[in-house]
Amino acid sequence: MLDELKTANKVVGIKQFRKAMAAGKVRKVFLAADADPLLTEPIAEQCRTQEIEVISVPTMRQLGAACGIPVNAAVAAIL
């Protein structure tokens, strides 16, 4: 599941996610379960509304590592 993030065309982070979502480019979203719900719940709701698959990742650290970045990540999206 997370292996897909290593090679896919993706965006990482809330700002980049919002830009990609506004452009209609998002196909799948990964949300870190330990991220602040005030940040992730609106994203999850927007994805439900637009019928975009949401996958929960246990930690922000795991999500960041899966994306190949040296910092934690709350959200990543495959374009």
Side-chain angles (χ1 to χ4, degrees), residues 28-71:
K28 187 186 293 187
V29 174
F30 294 81
L31 289 175
D34 66 343
D36 185 347
L38 291 175
L39 299 174
T40 59
E41 280 304 315
I43 291 170
E45 180 58 35
Q46 187 176 16
C47 290
R48 279 190 289 273
T49 301
Q50 296 187 16
E51 297 181 1
I52 295 171
E53 182 181 4
V54 176
I55 296 172
S56 182
V57 179
T59 67
M60 292 174 64
R61 172 175 264 178
Q62 286 177 317
L63 186 53
C67 292
I69 60 173
V71 295

Side-chain angles (χ1 to χ4, degrees), residues 11-33:
V11 293
V12 181
I14 292 173
K15 285 183 183 180
Q16 296 302 319
F17 163 79
R18 287 185 179 144
K19 288 178 188 177
M21 187 66 115
K25 296 180 179 180
V26 175
R27 292 186 306 125
K28 187 186 293 187
V29 174
F30 294 81
L31 289 175

